[in-house]
C-alpha cells in the first residue's frame, strides 16, 4: 500500500512538473517556476508518514511538497496560472503556495524561514499537548543561513516535534554546495546541536520514507527533532527558462536522470509493473484535466488585491469612564496585569524572551508569571532574536499566540526579515486563512545614557509595513487597554513601550478593558494649535502646553496611541479647528511618522491650514552616550514650547 | 527710546480702520492727551489722543490718509528730543521687510485656510493684508477684514470718498449685503394728519426744547411702535438662525459731506417725540462733525432712510446688516388718489420696506407695514 502511495505521489509530481514546464513555455505561468523534477522521492517519502494536521513548511521549490501533502493538482496549476481558484487565490504563484487546511502552511520565496516556522509549529503543538509534528523542507543552500543554526538549536533545546528535511541537491542556484560549506556533511552538523542527524539517498524513496518514519515517531513521542539530509539532484534548471550548463555539465545531468527515483522504485518492484502502468495512466489523465481546468479558471478581480492584509477587526469600544482616579500603577505594571489576565483566560498565549522566565523580565514585564504559568509558557530563550521571532511566526500559523519580549526594541531589528517578510505578509498571502496573532514588544526611546543600541524607536519604519499593527502607549491606562486588545486581536502587533515612561504611574482600572487600535486620544483640548506627540513626547508636549497656557495660548495635544492604524480623522478634526499643526517626535525627521501625518493633513486638510505644518524631531544621528550629547539629540520641553509659540504666531 | 504709536481698537467689531491723517505735524512736540491722529472705522471718525509725550515721527513709508490700517499697527513714533529719525526708521525697516518690490512682484501669500475663508465670505484677498510683521495672510486677517468692512450704504448714493482700498472694502461689504435675499413691501401713507400734527407740535417743541421736529422724528417713533406691535419682525439673522432683538433702537441714515452714517436713536419706542427730536438732533450734529462714538452706530433693529428732501419720489434700499428691515422714505407731496369714484389730490408719503426673507416672511412684513401705516395715518398715538 505504501509503495503504491509513494509511487503515485512521485509520478504525480513528475508529470505535473513536466506539464508545468510546458505551460511555462506557453506563457501560462507569469513568473518564476521552480520544478522538483528528480527530487520527488523526498516529498513522497516524508509525507507518507504525515497526517493532514501535521504542518509542512516549504521553500521556493515547493510544488512537490504541496502535492505530496494532498493539494489538488488543479489548485496548483491554477495558482501558477494566476487564477482565482489557485491555492493562494492567485496571490502567490510558484513560490507561495498556501493550503493550511491540509497542513501545507506555506511555501516561501525566502530561503531559510521554513526552518524556524516548523520549529514554531512544533512549539505550539507541544504547548497544546498534541502529537502533531512540524516539518521543514529546505535546500542545501539554507543550511548556510542563520535560520538553520538558530532553528535547529531552538528545536533541540526544547525537544520540539520537528523534522528538518534538507534536500541537498548540491547546488544553490548555480553555487555548488561543496564551495559554500566548510563542512559539506549536513547530517553531521546535527551533532553540533545535540540532535540525531541521518543522511539518506534522496533518490531512494523507501530509504527516505524509513528515515522519516523514525523521525516522525521520535517527534510524536516527545523525543525531539531529527535532521534528515537527503542527497539528491534536480535535473531541470534552477528555474524554468534559466540556462543550465554554465555551472554543471550535460553529462552530469544525464547521469542523475538515470538515477530517477521513479524508475528506481519500478525496478525494485517488477511485480507491480501493471499496477504502476495503471497509476501512470490515471496520473496522466488527472494532470491533463487539471491543466485544462486551470486554464479555463477565472482570473481574480482587482478588488481582491488588497483584502486580507489584516484580520477582520473586532469591534470594541474604549470604556466610557476613562482612567478614572482610582489606584495608580506604572505602565509596566499595567501591561503585566493585562498579560496575566489574558494568559489566565487563553492557554495558547506563551511568552518568549531573554530573562522573562524566573527572573520576570529585565523591566519586570513578566514578573510573577513564571510561578503561575510555568516554563513552557514563559520561555527563556537563547540570544537568537531571528530564531525565536521566526519560531513565533510558525507557532501563530498553527494557532498559538506568542508574545515575544525583546526587552529593547533595537534587538528586534535582528529579526527584521521574519517580521517584515513573514509575519506581516502571512495573512495576506494565505488569503486570510492564516491568522497571525503575534505580539512583539520592547521598550523604545532615548534616555538613561543607554547609547545607540538601546534607544531606538523604529515605529515609523515598521508602520510602513502593511500587515503590522504598531502601538506606542504613553500612559498606564492606555497601555493596559491596548495591550489587552493586542492579545485579543488576530493581527501581528508591535507594542513599543517608551522606556522613560515605563515607571511613570497613573490611574488604571483593576478590571479588564480594551482600547481599540486606530483611535487617538485628545490628551488636552485647545484652540490655537494642534500638537501630535508620540510616546515620551506626549507628557513633554502637555508640560510645554501648560507653559503656553500661562501665556494665554491654547494648545490641543493628541496622542495617536497607535501608529498603524493611524487615526488621521481625529488629527484632521483638530486641525480644522486650530488651523495649525505641529508634530513632536523623538525620532529623526526623515520619513518619520510626522512626515506621513503632514502628507495626510496637507492632502485632506489643505484648506484647514493657516500656517505650514511643522515638526519637532530628534537629531538625525545614532544616539550618543554622554549626557550632554544625549540631551542634544532629543527635543527638550523648552524646544517644544518654543516651537509651539512660534507656530501659533507664525504669519 | 522712541515710543511706538499704534492703531487702537475702535468699537467691538473693528479690527482695522482708515487712517484719516495726522493732527500734528511731523517733528511737532506732542503732549500726552492731545489729539494725535484721526481714524475712521465703522463710519465713525475718531480723534485719537496721544498716550505719551514726545516728538512726532511718522513711520517712514507709513500709512497715508485714506489707507487701511489694522489694530496694533505701528504708524509712527514719539521720539525723545534729539533722537535721530534715521535710527528709528532703520530699526523699523529691520523689523519689517519693505513691502515694496516683493509685494509688487507677486501678491501677498495667503494660507490655504485664509484662502478658503476668504472664498466663503466672498472677500477679495487683495483687500486683506497680513498683521504687522506677518509675511502671509492668515485666517485671522481675513476675519478681521470681514469684521471691519463698513456697513453697507443704506441708500444707493455716492459713497464717501475714501482711499481706493477702503472703497474696495466697502464694495465687498455691499456686495455681501446685497446677496441677502431681499423683498420689498410698499405703501403710500395718507400724510394729511401727520403733516398737521407736525405743524402743531413744531412751535411747541421749538419753544420748549429748542429743536425742530421733523417728519423723520415721527417716523422713528412710529417705526419703533410698529416693531413692538409686531415683535415677529423684530429679529435678525445671526450664525445661521433668526434671533430676536430685545430693544427697538432705530437707525437713521445721515448723509455727511464725505460719508454716509447711520447713527442710532436708542429705545425710540419709550421716548416721547420731543426726546426723539432732541436725540436725533444731537446725533446728526455729531455725525456731521465726525464725532460719532464707536457704539453710536450699533444695535438698531431697522434703519430709516429718507431721500424725500432730495426730490426722490420713491426708492428701495439695501439692508444694513445685521438688520433685517430698512424703510426707504420718499418725498411727501400731494398726489392724485382715487377716492370713491373721484380722483382727488392728497398729501401722501411713499414708504418702501426692504425685508430680509431669511428672517421675515411676506405676511409678517405686510402686517408690520400695516401697523406702521395705521400709526402714521392716525398719528395721535405717537403722543400716547
Ligand atoms: C534569503 C534569500 N536569499 C537569496 C534568495 C535567492 N535564491 C532563491 S533560490 C536560491 C538558491 C537556494 O538554494 P537551495 O536552498 O539549495 O535550494 P534549491 O534551489 O537548490 O532547491 C537563492 C539563492 C532567496 N530566495 N532568499
Ligand atoms: Mg540546493
Amino acid at each position: 500500500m505504501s509503495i503504491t502511495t509513494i509511487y503515485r505521489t512521485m509520478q504525480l509530481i513528475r508529470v505535473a512538473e513536466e506539464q508545468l514546464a510546458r505551460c511555462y513555455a506557453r506563457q501560462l505561468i507569469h513568473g518564476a517556476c521552480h520544478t522538483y523534477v528528480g527530487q520527488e522521492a523526498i516529498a513522497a517519502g516524508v509525507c507518507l508518514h504525515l497526517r493532514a494536521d501535521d504542518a509542512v513548511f516549504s521553500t521556493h521549490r515547493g510544488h512537490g511538497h504541496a502535492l505530496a501533502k494532498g493539494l489538488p493538482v488543479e489548485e496548483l496549476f491554477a495558482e501558477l496560472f494566476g487564477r482565482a481558484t489557485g491555492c493562494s487565490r492567485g496571490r502567490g504563484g510558484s513560490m507561495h503556495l498556501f493550503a493550511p487546511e491540509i497542513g501545507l502552511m506555506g511555501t516561501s520565496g525566502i530561503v531559510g524561514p521554513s526552518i524556524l516556522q516548523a520549529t514554531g509549529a512544533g512549539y505550539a503543538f507541544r504547548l497544546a499537548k498534541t502529537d502533531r509534528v512540524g516539518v521543514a523542507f529546505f535546500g542545501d543552500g539554507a543550511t548556510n543561513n542563520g535560520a538553520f543554526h538558530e532553528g535547529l538549536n531552538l528545536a533541540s533545546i526544547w525537544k520540539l516535534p520537528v523534522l528538518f528535511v534538507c534536500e541537498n541537491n548540491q547546488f544553490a542556484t548555480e553555487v555548488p554546495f561543496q564551495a559554500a560549506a566548510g563542512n559539506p556533511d549536513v547530517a553531521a552538523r546535527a551533532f553540533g546541536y545535540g540532535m540525531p542527524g541521518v543522511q539518506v539517498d534522496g533518490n531512494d524513496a523507501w530509504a527516505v520514507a524509513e528515515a522519516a518514519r523514525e523521525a516522525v515517531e521520535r517527534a510524536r513521542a516527545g523525543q525531539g527533532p531529527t535532521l534528515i539530509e537527503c542527497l539528491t539532484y534536480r535535473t531541470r534548471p534552477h528555474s524554468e527558462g534559466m540556462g543550465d550548463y554554465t555551472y554543471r555539465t550535460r553529462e552530469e545531468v544525464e547521469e542523475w536522470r538515470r538515477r530517477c527515483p521513479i524508475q528506481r522504485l519500478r525496478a525494485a518492484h517488477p511485480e507491480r509493473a501493471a499496477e504502476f502502468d495503471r497509476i501512470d495512466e490515471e496520473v496522466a489523465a488527472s494532470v491533463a484535466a487539471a491543466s485544462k481546468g486551470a486554464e479555463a479558471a477565472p482570473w481574480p478581480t482587482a478588488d481582491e488585491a488588497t483584502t486580507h492584509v489584516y484580520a477582520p477587526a473586532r469591534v470594541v469600544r474604549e470604556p466610557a469612564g476613562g482612567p478614572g482616579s482610582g489606584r495608580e500603577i506604572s505602565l509596566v505594571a499595567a501591561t503585566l496585569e493585562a498579560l496575566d489576565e489574558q494568559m489566565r483566560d487563553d492557554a495558547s498565549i506563551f511568552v518568549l524572551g531573554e530573562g522573562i522566565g524566573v527572573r520576570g523580565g529585565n523591566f519586570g514585564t513578566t514578573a510573577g508569571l513564571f510561578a503561575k504559568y510555568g516554563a513552557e509558557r514563559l520561555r527563556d530563550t537563547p540570544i537568537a532574536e531571528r530564531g525565536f521571532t521566526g519560531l513565533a511566526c510558525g507557532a501563530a500559523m498553527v494557532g498559538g499566540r506568542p508574545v515575544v519580549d525583546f526587552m529593547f526594541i533595537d534587538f528586534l531589528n535582528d529579526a527584521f526579515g521574519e517580521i517584515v517578510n513573514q509575519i506581516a505578509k502571512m495573512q495576506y498571502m494565505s488569503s486570510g486563512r492564516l491568522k497571525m496573532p503575534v505580539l512583539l514588544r520592547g521598550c523604545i526611546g532615548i534616555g538613561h545614557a543607554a547609547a545607540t543600541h538601546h534607544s531606538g524607536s523604529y515605529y515609523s519604519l515598521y508602520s510602513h509595513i502593511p500587515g503590522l499593527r504598531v502601538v506606542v502607549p504613553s500612559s498606564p491606562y492606555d497601555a493596559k487597554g491596548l495591550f489587552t486588545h493586542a492579545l485579543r486581536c488576530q493581527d501581528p502587533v508591535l507594542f513599543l513601550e517608551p522606556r522613560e515612561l515605563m515607571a511613570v504611574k497613573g490611574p488604571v482600572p483593576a478590571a479588564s478593558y480594551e482600547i481599540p487600535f486606530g483611535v487617538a486620544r485628545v490628551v488636552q483640548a485647545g484652540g490655537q494649535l494642534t500638537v501630535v506627540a508620540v510616546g515620551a513626547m506626549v507628557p513633554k508636549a502637555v508640560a510645554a502646553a501648560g507653559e503656553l497656557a500661562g501665556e494665554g495660548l491654547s494648545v490641543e495635544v493628541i496622542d495617536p496611541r497607535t501608529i498603524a492604524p493611524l487615526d488621521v480623522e481625529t488629527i484632521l478634526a483638530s486641525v480644522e479647528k486650530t488651523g495649525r499643526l505641529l508634530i513632536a517626535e523623538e525620532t529623526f525627521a526623515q520619513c518619520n511618522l510626522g512626515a506621513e501625518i503632514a502628507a495626510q493633513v496637507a492632502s485632506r486638510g489643505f484648506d484647514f491650514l493657516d500656517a505650514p505644518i511643522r515638526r519637532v524631531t530628534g537629531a538625525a544621528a545614532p544616539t550618543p552616550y554622554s549626557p550632554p550629547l544625549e540631551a542634544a539629540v532629543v527635543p527638550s520641553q523648552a524646544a517644544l514650547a518654543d516651537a509651539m509659540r512660534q507656530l501659533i504666531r507664525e504669519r | 527710546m522712541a515710543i511706538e504709536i499704534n492703531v487702537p481698537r475702535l468699537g467691538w467689531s473693528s479690527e482695522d480702520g482708515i487712517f484719516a491723517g495726522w493732527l500734528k505735524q511731523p517733528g511737532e512736540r506732542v503732549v500726552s492727551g492731545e489729539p494725535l491722529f484721526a481714524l475712521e472705522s465703522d463710519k465713525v471718525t475718531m480723534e485719537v489722543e496721544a498716550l505719551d509725550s514726545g516728538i512726532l515721527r511718522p513711520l517712514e513709508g507709513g500709512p497715508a490718509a485714506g489707507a487701511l490700517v489694522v489694530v496694533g499697527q505701528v504708524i509712527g513714533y514719539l521720539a525723545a528730543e534729539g533722537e535721530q529719525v534715521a535710527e528709528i526708521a532703520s530699526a523699523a525697516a529691520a523689523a519689517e521687510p519693505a513691502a515694496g518690490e516683493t509685494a509688487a512682484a507677486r501678491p501677498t501669500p495667503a494660507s490655504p485656510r485664509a484662502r478658503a475663508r476668504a472664498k466663503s465670505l466672498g472677500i477679495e484677498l487683495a483687500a486683506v493684508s497680513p498683521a504687522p510683521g506677518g509675511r502671509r495672510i492668515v485666517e485671522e486677517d481675513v476675519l478681521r477684514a470681514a469684521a471691519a468692512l463698513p456697513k453697507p450704504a443704506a441708500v444707493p448714493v455716492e459713497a464717501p470718498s475714501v482711499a481706493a482700498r477702503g472703497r474696495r472694502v466697502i464694495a465687498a461689504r455691499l456686495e455681501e449685503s446685497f446677496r441677502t435675499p431681499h423683498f420689498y413691501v410698499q405703501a403710500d401713507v395718507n400724510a394729511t394728519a401727520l403733516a398737521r400734527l407736525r405743524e402743531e407740535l413744531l412751535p411747541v417743541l421749538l419753544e420748549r426744547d429748542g429743536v425742530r421736529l421733523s417728519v423723520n422724528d415721527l417716523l422713528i417713533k412710529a417705526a419703533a411702535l410698529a416693531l413692538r406691535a409686531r415683535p415677529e419682525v423684530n429679529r435678525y439673522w445671526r450664525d445661521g438662525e433668526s434671533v430676536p432683538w430685545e430693544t427697538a433702537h432705530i437707525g437713521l441714515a445721515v448723509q455727511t459731506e464725505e460719508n454716509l452714517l447711520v447713527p442710532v436713536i436708542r429705545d425710540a419706542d419709550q421716548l416721547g417725540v420731543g426726546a426723539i427730536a432732541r436725540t436725533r438732533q444731537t446725533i446728526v450734529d455729531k455725525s456731521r462733525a465726525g464725532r460719532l462714538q464707536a457704539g453710536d452706530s450699533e444695535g438698531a433693529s431697522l434703519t430709516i432712510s429718507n431721500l424725500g428732501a432730495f426730490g426722490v419720489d420713491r426708492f428701495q434700499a439695501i439692508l444694513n446688516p445685521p438688520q433685517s428691515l430698512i424703510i426707504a422714505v420718499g418725498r411727501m407731496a400731494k398726489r392724485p388718489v382715487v377716492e370713491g369714484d373721484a380722483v382727488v389730490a392728497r398729501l401722501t408719503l411713499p414708504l418702501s420696506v426692504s425685508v430680509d426673507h431669511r428672517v421675515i416672511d411676506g405676511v409678517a412684513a405686510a402686517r408690520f407695514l400695516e401697523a406702521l401705516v395705521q400709526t402714521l395715518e392716525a398719528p395721535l398715538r405717537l403722543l400716547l
Side-chain angles (χ1 to χ4, degrees), chain A residues 575-577 579 606-610 651, chain B residues 111-114 116 134-136 138-140:
Chain A
V575 176
E576 181 170 14
K577 180 171 65 171
F606 185 69
D607 287 337
F608 304 157
L609 289 169
D610 218 4
R651 292 287 186 276
Chain B
S111 76
R113 190 182 184 95
R135 283 179 296 111
R136 94 173 55 83
V138 298
E139 183 188 31
E140 200 178 290

PDB file of all heavy atoms in Angstrom, chain A residues 575-577 579 606-610 651, chain B residues 111-114 116 134-136 138-140:
ATOM      1  N   VAL A 575      -7.132  69.870  13.452  1.00  0.00           N
ATOM      2  CA  VAL A 575      -6.515  70.899  12.606  1.00  0.00           C
ATOM      3  C   VAL A 575      -7.589  71.777  11.972  1.00  0.00           C
ATOM      4  O   VAL A 575      -7.383  72.966  11.762  1.00  0.00           O
ATOM      5  CB  VAL A 575      -5.612  70.259  11.523  1.00  0.00           C
ATOM      6  CG1 VAL A 575      -5.049  71.316  10.592  1.00  0.00           C
ATOM      7  CG2 VAL A 575      -4.471  69.498  12.185  1.00  0.00           C
ATOM      8  N   GLU A 576      -8.746  71.193  11.719  1.00  0.00           N
ATOM      9  CA  GLU A 576      -9.838  72.002  11.177  1.00  0.00           C
ATOM     10  C   GLU A 576     -10.188  73.103  12.172  1.00  0.00           C
ATOM     11  O   GLU A 576     -10.503  74.227  11.796  1.00  0.00           O
ATOM     12  CB  GLU A 576     -11.060  71.130  10.894  1.00  0.00           C
ATOM     13  CG  GLU A 576     -12.211  71.941  10.304  1.00  0.00           C
ATOM     14  CD  GLU A 576     -13.344  71.084   9.787  1.00  0.00           C
ATOM     15  OE1 GLU A 576     -13.372  69.883  10.104  1.00  0.00           O
ATOM     16  OE2 GLU A 576     -14.193  71.621   9.062  1.00  0.00           O
ATOM     17  N   LYS A 577     -10.078  72.741  13.446  1.00  0.00           N
ATOM     18  CA  LYS A 577     -10.401  73.708  14.490  1.00  0.00           C
ATOM     19  C   LYS A 577      -9.278  74.736  14.659  1.00  0.00           C
ATOM     20  O   LYS A 577      -9.527  75.927  14.702  1.00  0.00           O
ATOM     21  CB  LYS A 577     -10.630  72.940  15.798  1.00  0.00           C
ATOM     22  CG  LYS A 577     -10.971  73.801  16.986  1.00  0.00           C
ATOM     23  CD  LYS A 577     -11.389  72.958  18.195  1.00  0.00           C
ATOM     24  CE  LYS A 577     -10.255  72.095  18.720  1.00  0.00           C
ATOM     25  NZ  LYS A 577     -10.558  71.444  19.999  1.00  0.00           N
ATOM     26  N   GLY A 579      -6.215  75.113  12.769  1.00  0.00           N
ATOM     27  CA  GLY A 579      -5.527  75.655  11.601  1.00  0.00           C
ATOM     28  C   GLY A 579      -4.021  75.489  11.623  1.00  0.00           C
ATOM     29  O   GLY A 579      -3.342  75.873  10.671  1.00  0.00           O
ATOM     30  N   PHE A 606      -6.009  70.510   3.483  1.00  0.00           N
ATOM     31  CA  PHE A 606      -5.261  71.664   2.948  1.00  0.00           C
ATOM     32  C   PHE A 606      -5.920  72.986   3.335  1.00  0.00           C
ATOM     33  O   PHE A 606      -5.274  73.907   3.804  1.00  0.00           O
ATOM     34  CB  PHE A 606      -5.184  71.532   1.430  1.00  0.00           C
ATOM     35  CG  PHE A 606      -4.343  72.581   0.759  1.00  0.00           C
ATOM     36  CD1 PHE A 606      -2.974  72.580   0.929  1.00  0.00           C
ATOM     37  CD2 PHE A 606      -4.920  73.541  -0.043  1.00  0.00           C
ATOM     38  CE1 PHE A 606      -2.184  73.533   0.300  1.00  0.00           C
ATOM     39  CE2 PHE A 606      -4.143  74.500  -0.684  1.00  0.00           C
ATOM     40  CZ  PHE A 606      -2.775  74.498  -0.498  1.00  0.00           C
ATOM     41  N   ASP A 607      -7.228  73.042   3.166  1.00  0.00           N
ATOM     42  CA  ASP A 607      -7.913  74.305   3.415  1.00  0.00           C
ATOM     43  C   ASP A 607      -8.056  74.634   4.899  1.00  0.00           C
ATOM     44  O   ASP A 607      -8.521  75.701   5.247  1.00  0.00           O
ATOM     45  CB  ASP A 607      -9.291  74.298   2.751  1.00  0.00           C
ATOM     46  CG  ASP A 607      -9.176  74.434   1.242  1.00  0.00           C
ATOM     47  OD1 ASP A 607      -8.141  74.956   0.783  1.00  0.00           O
ATOM     48  OD2 ASP A 607     -10.094  74.022   0.529  1.00  0.00           O
ATOM     49  N   PHE A 608      -7.655  73.689   5.762  1.00  0.00           N
ATOM     50  CA  PHE A 608      -7.713  73.998   7.195  1.00  0.00           C
ATOM     51  C   PHE A 608      -6.469  74.755   7.635  1.00  0.00           C
ATOM     52  O   PHE A 608      -6.429  75.353   8.693  1.00  0.00           O
ATOM     53  CB  PHE A 608      -7.770  72.724   8.045  1.00  0.00           C
ATOM     54  CG  PHE A 608      -8.900  71.786   7.713  1.00  0.00           C
ATOM     55  CD1 PHE A 608      -8.808  70.444   8.041  1.00  0.00           C
ATOM     56  CD2 PHE A 608     -10.056  72.244   7.082  1.00  0.00           C
ATOM     57  CE1 PHE A 608      -9.840  69.568   7.745  1.00  0.00           C
ATOM     58  CE2 PHE A 608     -11.095  71.377   6.787  1.00  0.00           C
ATOM     59  CZ  PHE A 608     -10.974  70.038   7.119  1.00  0.00           C
ATOM     60  N   LEU A 609      -5.416  74.679   6.842  1.00  0.00           N
ATOM     61  CA  LEU A 609      -4.108  75.110   7.324  1.00  0.00           C
ATOM     62  C   LEU A 609      -3.928  76.613   7.230  1.00  0.00           C
ATOM     63  O   LEU A 609      -4.119  77.213   6.181  1.00  0.00           O
ATOM     64  CB  LEU A 609      -3.013  74.416   6.517  1.00  0.00           C
ATOM     65  CG  LEU A 609      -2.896  72.924   6.816  1.00  0.00           C
ATOM     66  CD1 LEU A 609      -1.977  72.258   5.801  1.00  0.00           C
ATOM     67  CD2 LEU A 609      -2.399  72.700   8.231  1.00  0.00           C
ATOM     68  N   ASP A 610      -3.533  77.177   8.358  1.00  0.00           N
ATOM     69  CA  ASP A 610      -3.306  78.619   8.400  1.00  0.00           C
ATOM     70  C   ASP A 610      -1.807  78.910   8.496  1.00  0.00           C
ATOM     71  O   ASP A 610      -1.401  80.072   8.540  1.00  0.00           O
ATOM     72  CB  ASP A 610      -4.036  79.200   9.615  1.00  0.00           C
ATOM     73  CG  ASP A 610      -4.642  80.559   9.298  1.00  0.00           C
ATOM     74  OD1 ASP A 610      -4.559  80.991   8.134  1.00  0.00           O
ATOM     75  OD2 ASP A 610      -5.184  81.190  10.219  1.00  0.00           O
ATOM     76  N   ARG A 651       3.112  83.918  10.917  1.00  0.00           N
ATOM     77  CA  ARG A 651       2.234  84.669   9.993  1.00  0.00           C
ATOM     78  C   ARG A 651       2.894  84.723   8.630  1.00  0.00           C
ATOM     79  O   ARG A 651       4.095  84.843   8.544  1.00  0.00           O
ATOM     80  CB  ARG A 651       2.024  86.113  10.492  1.00  0.00           C
ATOM     81  CG  ARG A 651       1.210  86.183  11.780  1.00  0.00           C
ATOM     82  CD  ARG A 651      -0.261  85.865  11.509  1.00  0.00           C
ATOM     83  NE  ARG A 651      -1.113  86.047  12.664  1.00  0.00           N
ATOM     84  CZ  ARG A 651      -1.302  85.137  13.626  1.00  0.00           C
ATOM     85  NH1 ARG A 651      -0.649  84.004  13.585  1.00  0.00           N
ATOM     86  NH2 ARG A 651      -2.125  85.376  14.613  1.00  0.00           N
TER      87      ARG A 651
ATOM     88  N   SER B 111      -2.475  81.779   3.548  1.00  0.00           N
ATOM     89  CA  SER B 111      -2.536  80.369   3.928  1.00  0.00           C
ATOM     90  C   SER B 111      -3.738  79.731   3.246  1.00  0.00           C
ATOM     91  O   SER B 111      -4.704  80.408   2.897  1.00  0.00           O
ATOM     92  CB  SER B 111      -2.677  80.233   5.444  1.00  0.00           C
ATOM     93  OG  SER B 111      -3.996  80.523   5.843  1.00  0.00           O
ATOM     94  N   PRO B 112      -3.685  78.401   3.065  1.00  0.00           N
ATOM     95  CA  PRO B 112      -4.833  77.720   2.456  1.00  0.00           C
ATOM     96  C   PRO B 112      -6.117  78.030   3.216  1.00  0.00           C
ATOM     97  O   PRO B 112      -7.169  78.234   2.636  1.00  0.00           O
ATOM     98  CB  PRO B 112      -4.472  76.241   2.567  1.00  0.00           C
ATOM     99  CG  PRO B 112      -2.989  76.220   2.674  1.00  0.00           C
ATOM    100  CD  PRO B 112      -2.588  77.491   3.357  1.00  0.00           C
ATOM    101  N   ARG B 113      -5.994  78.059   4.541  1.00  0.00           N
ATOM    102  CA  ARG B 113      -7.171  78.302   5.369  1.00  0.00           C
ATOM    103  C   ARG B 113      -7.706  79.711   5.120  1.00  0.00           C
ATOM    104  O   ARG B 113      -8.907  79.927   5.036  1.00  0.00           O
ATOM    105  CB  ARG B 113      -6.777  78.129   6.839  1.00  0.00           C
ATOM    106  CG  ARG B 113      -7.945  78.103   7.813  1.00  0.00           C
ATOM    107  CD  ARG B 113      -7.397  77.978   9.230  1.00  0.00           C
ATOM    108  NE  ARG B 113      -8.431  77.845  10.224  1.00  0.00           N
ATOM    109  CZ  ARG B 113      -8.873  76.699  10.702  1.00  0.00           C
ATOM    110  NH1 ARG B 113      -8.389  75.572  10.236  1.00  0.00           N
ATOM    111  NH2 ARG B 113      -9.798  76.668  11.632  1.00  0.00           N
ATOM    112  N   ALA B 114      -6.796  80.673   4.993  1.00  0.00           N
ATOM    113  CA  ALA B 114      -7.214  82.047   4.742  1.00  0.00           C
ATOM    114  C   ALA B 114      -7.918  82.136   3.387  1.00  0.00           C
ATOM    115  O   ALA B 114      -8.935  82.811   3.243  1.00  0.00           O
ATOM    116  CB  ALA B 114      -6.002  82.975   4.776  1.00  0.00           C
ATOM    117  N   ALA B 116      -9.511  79.729   1.836  1.00  0.00           N
ATOM    118  CA  ALA B 116     -10.817  79.077   1.910  1.00  0.00           C
ATOM    119  C   ALA B 116     -11.810  79.991   2.620  1.00  0.00           C
ATOM    120  O   ALA B 116     -12.961  80.125   2.209  1.00  0.00           O
ATOM    121  CB  ALA B 116     -10.688  77.746   2.639  1.00  0.00           C
ATOM    122  N   GLY B 134       3.756  90.217   9.679  1.00  0.00           N
ATOM    123  CA  GLY B 134       3.365  88.956   9.063  1.00  0.00           C
ATOM    124  C   GLY B 134       3.793  88.907   7.610  1.00  0.00           C
ATOM    125  O   GLY B 134       3.806  89.929   6.931  1.00  0.00           O
ATOM    126  N   ARG B 135       4.156  87.725   7.141  1.00  0.00           N
ATOM    127  CA  ARG B 135       4.538  87.574   5.743  1.00  0.00           C
ATOM    128  C   ARG B 135       3.372  87.039   4.927  1.00  0.00           C
ATOM    129  O   ARG B 135       3.373  87.082   3.719  1.00  0.00           O
ATOM    130  CB  ARG B 135       5.716  86.609   5.604  1.00  0.00           C
ATOM    131  CG  ARG B 135       7.044  87.214   5.994  1.00  0.00           C
ATOM    132  CD  ARG B 135       8.158  86.203   5.859  1.00  0.00           C
ATOM    133  NE  ARG B 135       7.976  85.102   6.790  1.00  0.00           N
ATOM    134  CZ  ARG B 135       7.665  83.870   6.423  1.00  0.00           C
ATOM    135  NH1 ARG B 135       7.502  83.563   5.154  1.00  0.00           N
ATOM    136  NH2 ARG B 135       7.525  82.924   7.320  1.00  0.00           N
ATOM    137  N   ARG B 136       2.419  86.440   5.643  1.00  0.00           N
ATOM    138  CA  ARG B 136       1.328  85.834   4.882  1.00  0.00           C
ATOM    139  C   ARG B 136      -0.010  86.167   5.521  1.00  0.00           C
ATOM    140  O   ARG B 136      -0.090  86.456   6.708  1.00  0.00           O
ATOM    141  CB  ARG B 136       1.575  84.330   4.765  1.00  0.00           C
ATOM    142  CG  ARG B 136       0.948  83.443   5.764  1.00  0.00           C
ATOM    143  CD  ARG B 136       1.124  81.967   5.428  1.00  0.00           C
ATOM    144  NE  ARG B 136       2.504  81.541   5.230  1.00  0.00           N
ATOM    145  CZ  ARG B 136       3.329  81.225   6.221  1.00  0.00           C
ATOM    146  NH1 ARG B 136       2.943  81.280   7.469  1.00  0.00           N
ATOM    147  NH2 ARG B 136       4.564  80.854   5.948  1.00  0.00           N
ATOM    148  N   VAL B 138      -3.314  85.177   7.055  1.00  0.00           N
ATOM    149  CA  VAL B 138      -3.877  84.010   7.721  1.00  0.00           C
ATOM    150  C   VAL B 138      -5.362  84.260   7.960  1.00  0.00           C
ATOM    151  O   VAL B 138      -5.876  85.352   7.706  1.00  0.00           O
ATOM    152  CB  VAL B 138      -3.126  83.695   9.036  1.00  0.00           C
ATOM    153  CG1 VAL B 138      -1.672  83.354   8.758  1.00  0.00           C
ATOM    154  CG2 VAL B 138      -3.228  84.860  10.005  1.00  0.00           C
ATOM    155  N   GLU B 139      -6.026  83.228   8.453  1.00  0.00           N
ATOM    156  CA  GLU B 139      -7.476  83.326   8.603  1.00  0.00           C
ATOM    157  C   GLU B 139      -7.884  84.537   9.430  1.00  0.00           C
ATOM    158  O   GLU B 139      -8.837  85.248   9.104  1.00  0.00           O
ATOM    159  CB  GLU B 139      -8.008  82.048   9.259  1.00  0.00           C
ATOM    160  CG  GLU B 139      -9.522  82.050   9.376  1.00  0.00           C
ATOM    161  CD  GLU B 139     -10.034  80.874  10.209  1.00  0.00           C
ATOM    162  OE1 GLU B 139      -9.327  80.437  11.126  1.00  0.00           O
ATOM    163  OE2 GLU B 139     -11.147  80.408   9.920  1.00  0.00           O
ATOM    164  N   GLU B 140      -7.139  84.758  10.512  1.00  0.00           N
ATOM    165  CA  GLU B 140      -7.445  85.877  11.393  1.00  0.00           C
ATOM    166  C   GLU B 140      -7.486  87.193  10.610  1.00  0.00           C
ATOM    167  O   GLU B 140      -8.336  88.051  10.865  1.00  0.00           O
ATOM    168  CB  GLU B 140      -6.324  85.928  12.429  1.00  0.00           C
ATOM    169  CG  GLU B 140      -6.626  86.648  13.681  1.00  0.00           C
ATOM    170  CD  GLU B 140      -5.404  86.531  14.604  1.00  0.00           C
ATOM    171  OE1 GLU B 140      -5.152  85.428  15.098  1.00  0.00           O
ATOM    172  OE2 GLU B 140      -4.713  87.544  14.780  1.00  0.00           O
TER     173      GLU B 140
END
